[in-house]
Every structure is written in structure tokens, then in C-alpha cells.
Amino acid sequence: MKKVAFYTLGCKLNYSETSSIGRMFVDKGYEKVEFNQTPDIFIINTCSVTDNADKKCRKIVREAQKINPDGYVAIIGCYAQLKPKEISEIPGVDAVLGAAEKFRLVELIDTFEKEPGNHPAQILASHIDDAVDYHTSYSLNDRTRTFLKVQDGCDYPCAYCTIPLARGKSRSDTVANVVAAAKDVASRGVKEIVLTGVNIGDFGIQSGEKKETFLQLIKELDEVEGISRFRISSIEPNLLTDEIIEFVAASKRFVPHFHIPLQSGSNKVLSLMRRRYKRELYTERVAKIKSLMPDCCIGVDVIVGHPGETEELFLESYQFLNELDISYLHVFTYSERENTTAIAIKPIVPKSQRADRSKMLHILSEKKKRFFYEQQVGKMGTVLFEDEVENGQMSGFTENYVRVAVKYDPLLINETKKVYYDHLNSEGLMEVTETEEEILVH
């Protein structure tokens, strides 16, 4: 029995796909092991959102060679689709598979035998237009939380982004298939499902036609027994409708937590980025959420240093974010990507300024998060505890994404418990007081 190990770079979507591909290998008789357990086959699922992700891929290949110089190394994912020839020239790489081929990995490379001596890697990467099939995927690595892919690809031509080139056009699973997958996840004892995709608000496109909607999907998922929580990973502001917000507010299982990409608080920069909204719409979305769910957690994606972002426009964006009733930021530093329109935009922001702006927003994010946590003190929440222990403590997240720390108790793992928010500790985690209620097992 050959041993296979996986390493995933990038987003939650990649994790869901790695897990599903891993199950394909197990079904074919392979033994799935950890990366450092001298596997015969290394599968590296790559990201290409930033230059740093590309460098990480090369480093993981080097580590694989150290662990087992005779191991077979196959690269899949976004970087593999965008730069197959470049990856094939990395010493130690044996195969590169594109977006249309990665789910056929176990059948396309049936022997996984490493050729002796130096040899060119096998490239199995067709044009991105051939990536038209949809593959249901969900992670099962964490028994507390599962990432369930509901949509893939994107039709939005944002100036800075290579995702349409790496993943193809927008396409989705059916509502029926997603519900079936959620029921399968529930049968395995998982309590929380995170819905993920490239542009999940665009859910419903099958065979090039819009056949269903994201609202229809979440209404059906809300009826799935056995899952305590559904969490929406990220949704574009122009696709986050009043109806979706109102449904989540009244939902039995969807939690009060939204992650909504903004990218810039300057309308001029949003225009340069080719985003499909202005900041006024974003303000309206936040106000609508907070009017129905005052304790809702709202996360925001922001890009700093995009071409054309002057110091004045950055400060305009910073001020907008500072005044917005949000809970935390995910800050991305712009990096040049081939085949994007952003690389032709002037002026270019020096990398030192990009770093300074990133630092400012990271500090702002910490302030926003702490303020949000402080607003929760004295209230109650329900924590789903995870199977991770550090310094004798375990942690978990509440429905509105407050991270809670308590003394380790194995009985709490993968269980939900009502708590009072007591105070923040020195690490910024919420210390809690347990209620009189018993552990709620759903």
C-alpha cells in the first residue's frame, strides 16, 4: 500500500478540495499519512493570490525532497493552472495538473513512479476554458467544522485578480447536491459547516445558465438536521441582498457572522479595481445587518497599495474603515500578477509604502476586534469547542465569531455550551463564566 500525503496552501476552498481528493486516494487503496511520515507521494495544492504563495510552493517541494528524495511530487491548484511550465522546472517536481485535471489525479497518474535522474515534469494542464465541470468538495479534517464548497470560478474581471484565469468561469453545484453533502457531513458528527467558494453569492449557475439562487440554497440548508451552525465564508456586497440578510437574522442555523470583501474605502480606487459597487452600498449593507443583528460579527477584506492608490486615497479608505461598524479586517498587500489589467495602472505604489499601509490597517483591525469583543462583555453566547489544546487551555468560537478560552476538558470537544462573556484576557481572548445549563448536544 503506497502512502500519500497532502499539503494545502491558500484558502478554505483549497482545503475542501484537498480533503475530497484525499478521500479519492483512500478509496483507491492508498494510505493517507502526514507530510513528515515519509510518504511515497506528495500532493501539493497551491495558491497564487500573492507572490509569497508562489515562494511557499517552492519551499514545500524542497521540504518534500528532504523527507523522501524518492517521493513522487505532484502539484495542483491555482498556481499549477497559471504557471505549469514554471512549476515543471522546479527540481523535484514530477507532475503538474491544471484546474480541469486535478480531480482526475488518481486516475491520470496511475503508477506514481519517479523516473530516475533529472527529467522534465509531466504537465497535464489544459486551457482554463476546459474547466467546466463542477466537483463537490468538503473537508473532513476537523471534526468540529467542515468547509463545504458550493460554487467555483468567477465571472468578475477585477483588475488585480487572477482567479478567473486559475479557476475558470462561475459554476455551481445544485441545491439538492449541496443538501445531500450537508446531510453526509452531519452523519459524521460535525457540528458546523462553513459554506465556501470563489464567489458564493453567484451560486446557481449550472451549464452556463442561472438555475438557482443562493437564497434558495440557504433556505434548504437551514432545514438540515444534525448541523448546529452554518456560516457563510465570504460574500460580495453587491450580491448580499436584503432578503439574504433578513433570512440569516431569522434563521434557525445560520449564524450572525458575515465576511464581506470591500478591498478599498475609496470609490476612485474601487473603480480602478473594477469592483461592482461603490462604498455607499457597502455602508448600506453594514447598516442593514446591524439593524437586524446588533451583535453580528462583520469581517472585511481590504487590499492596500493597489496601483493608483495615492496617499490621499489610502487615508480616505482608512477613515472610511475606521468609522464603519465592523469587527475585523483581512488585509492583503497588493502584488503584481501577470495577465491582469492592474499592472498597467499608474502610479505604482512603492513596496515600502504598501508595507506601511498594511501595518496601519493591521493595527486598526486589532482595535476593531478588541472593541467588538468589549461590546460583548456581560452578554451570553454559545461556544463550539475545538480539539486544540495550548498551555492547558482549549478554545472555540461563538455563533458571532468571538473566540473563547477555557480550561481543557475533553468532554467539551465538539460540543456547544452556553456561556457568559466575563472579560478579555491578556491575549485578547474572551474569558467566560459557565451557565447553569448542561452542555447542549445537537
Side-chain angles (χ1 to χ4, degrees):
M1 181 184 290
K2 283 188 175 181
K3 296 186 294 184
V4 59
F6 295 83
Y7 196 96
T8 305
L9 295 161
C11 61
K12 295 170 183 175
L13 183 56
N14 271 7
Y15 279 93
S16 71
E17 293 182 338
T18 296
S19 187
S20 292
I21 293 170
R23 292 194 293 276
M24 293 178 184
F25 273 82
V26 172
D27 291 344
K28 287 284 188 178
Y30 293 84
E31 179 187 0
K32 188 177 176 183
V33 299
E34 295 299 320
F35 209 77
N36 61 355
Q37 293 179 315
T38 320
D40 303 294
I41 306 159
F42 296 89
I43 310 297
I44 303 171
N45 193 357
T46 61
C47 168
S48 194
V49 172
T50 66
D51 283 328
N52 194 40
D54 297 352
K55 294 170 186 173
K56 284 180 179 179
C57 173
R58 292 175 174 272
K59 183 175 181 180
I60 299 303
V61 172
R62 290 196 298 270
E63 290 302 313
Q65 287 186 290
K66 291 177 185 177
I67 293 167
N68 182 6
D70 297 322
Y72 191 98
V73 178
I75 311 295
I76 61 175
C78 293
Y79 185 28
Q81 177 64 41
L82 292 172
K83 302 278 186 72
K85 188 173 187 306
E86 182 177 305
I87 296 173
S88 72
E89 294 169 354
I90 298 174
V93 171
D94 297 286
V96 184
L97 289 89
E101 291 80 19
K102 61 186 173 185
F103 282 94
R104 296 173 54 214
L105 173 61
V106 75
E107 61 182 79
L108 285 174
I109 307 174
D110 55 357
T111 61
F112 292 99
E113 294 294 339
K114 197 173 186 75
E115 295 181 18
N118 294 324
H119 63 281
Q122 185 178 7
I123 297 177
L124 299 166
S126 53
H127 193 274
I128 193 58
D129 289 346
D130 293 332
V132 295
D133 294 333
Y134 185 86
H135 299 273
T136 301
S137 303
Y138 50 90
S139 65
L140 288 174
N141 298 325
D142 183 341
R143 66 192 179 114
T144 303
R145 181 185 296 108
T146 281
F147 300 127
L148 173 57
K149 171 183 162 185
V150 302
Q151 183 273 342
D152 200 353
C154 187
D155 296 336
Y156 285 12
C158 296
Y160 52 83
C161 188
T162 58
I163 296 302
L165 302 174
R167 284 189 168 270
K169 293 185 177 180
S170 180
R171 55 200 185 277
S172 308
D173 213 337
T174 64
V175 169
N177 283 346
V178 175
V179 169
K183 289 179 178 177
D184 180 48
V185 170
S187 72
R188 299 169 187 261
V190 175
K191 297 291 169 47
E192 180 176 311
I193 289 178
V194 182
L195 303 183
T196 187
V198 177
N199 188 1
I200 63 175
D202 200 30
F203 174 88
I205 298 176
Q206 296 142 25
S207 302
E209 296 180 18
K210 186 76 171 179
K211 297 182 179 180
E212 295 174 306
T213 67
F214 186 68
L215 183 61
Q216 288 175 308
L217 173 66
I218 60 178
K219 284 182 175 179
E220 290 294 322
L221 288 174
D222 206 44
E223 301 299 324
V224 174
E225 298 292 338
I227 298 297
S228 302
R229 300 172 173 176
F230 285 97
R231 199 177 295 273
I232 299 170
S233 64
S234 180
I235 184 167
E236 294 283 309
N238 54 302
L239 297 175
L240 179 57
T241 63
D242 284 347
E243 290 79 11
I244 292 172
I245 296 170
E246 289 163 3
F247 178 78
V248 170
S251 163
K252 293 180 288 186
R253 294 183 171 88
F254 278 82
V255 296
H257 176 204
F258 289 96
H259 193 90
I260 315 168
L262 170 66
Q263 311 308 10
S264 176
S266 160
N267 280 340
K268 184 171 182 179
V269 176
L270 287 174
S271 177
L272 291 172
M273 290 178 167
R274 299 173 70 178
R275 300 291 285 169
R276 297 193 173 196
Y277 53 85
K278 292 185 177 181
R279 70 180 195 171
E280 287 78 12
L281 173 68
Y282 201 94
T283 302
E284 290 174 9
R285 298 297 83 206
V286 171
K288 177 71 175 181
I289 291 167
K290 288 294 185 174
S291 70
L292 297 176
M293 296 168 277
D295 292 318
C296 183
C297 180
I298 302 177
V300 184
D301 285 342
V302 189
I303 295 173
V304 295
H306 189 277
E309 183 190 67
T310 63
E311 184 71 13
E312 181 183 7
L313 293 177
F314 167 71
L315 292 175
E316 179 187 341
S317 182
Y318 181 95
Q319 191 61 32
F320 177 76
L321 289 163
N322 188 42
E323 295 174 359
L324 207 57
D325 191 3
I326 54 176
S327 313
Y328 63 90
L329 306 174
H330 279 175
V331 183
F332 299 89
T333 302
Y334 171 81
S335 59
E336 286 76 5
R337 315 305 291 161
E338 291 180 20
N339 300 316
T340 61
T341 58
I343 57 176
I345 299 173
K346 306 296 181 185
I348 297 171
V349 181
K351 290 188 177 181
S352 60
Q353 289 185 20
R354 299 181 207 180
D356 291 342
R357 294 174 189 180
S358 176
K359 184 177 180 179
M360 285 180 64
L361 287 184
H362 275 100
I363 293 170
L364 178 62
S365 179
E366 287 301 313
K367 290 179 179 177
K368 288 283 187 182
K369 180 181 176 182
R370 187 170 188 88
F371 181 71
F372 175 68
Y373 275 31
E374 288 171 344
Q375 288 179 306
Q376 306 306 306
V377 172
K379 300 178 181 179
M380 289 181 63
T382 304
V383 186
L384 176 59
F385 287 99
E386 300 180 356
D387 188 12
E388 291 184 8
V389 183
E390 187 174 345
N391 299 323
Q393 285 196 316
M394 64 192 300
S395 65
F397 287 95
T398 62
E399 56 271 75
N400 62 339
Y401 214 54
V402 173
R403 192 176 176 200
V404 169
V406 299
K407 183 180 178 182
Y408 172 66
D409 181 350
L411 291 177
L412 288 178
I413 295 171
N414 199 34
E415 305 294 350
T416 55
K417 191 174 182 67
K418 285 274 188 180
V419 295
Y420 283 108
Y421 299 136
D422 195 61
H423 66 277
L424 270 62
N425 65 20
S426 60
E427 296 177 352
L429 301 182
M430 185 71 76
E431 295 282 352
V432 298
T433 304
E434 298 181 12
T435 69
E436 298 278 329
E437 297 181 32
E438 294 180 354
I439 296 172
L440 306 173
V441 182
H442 297 283

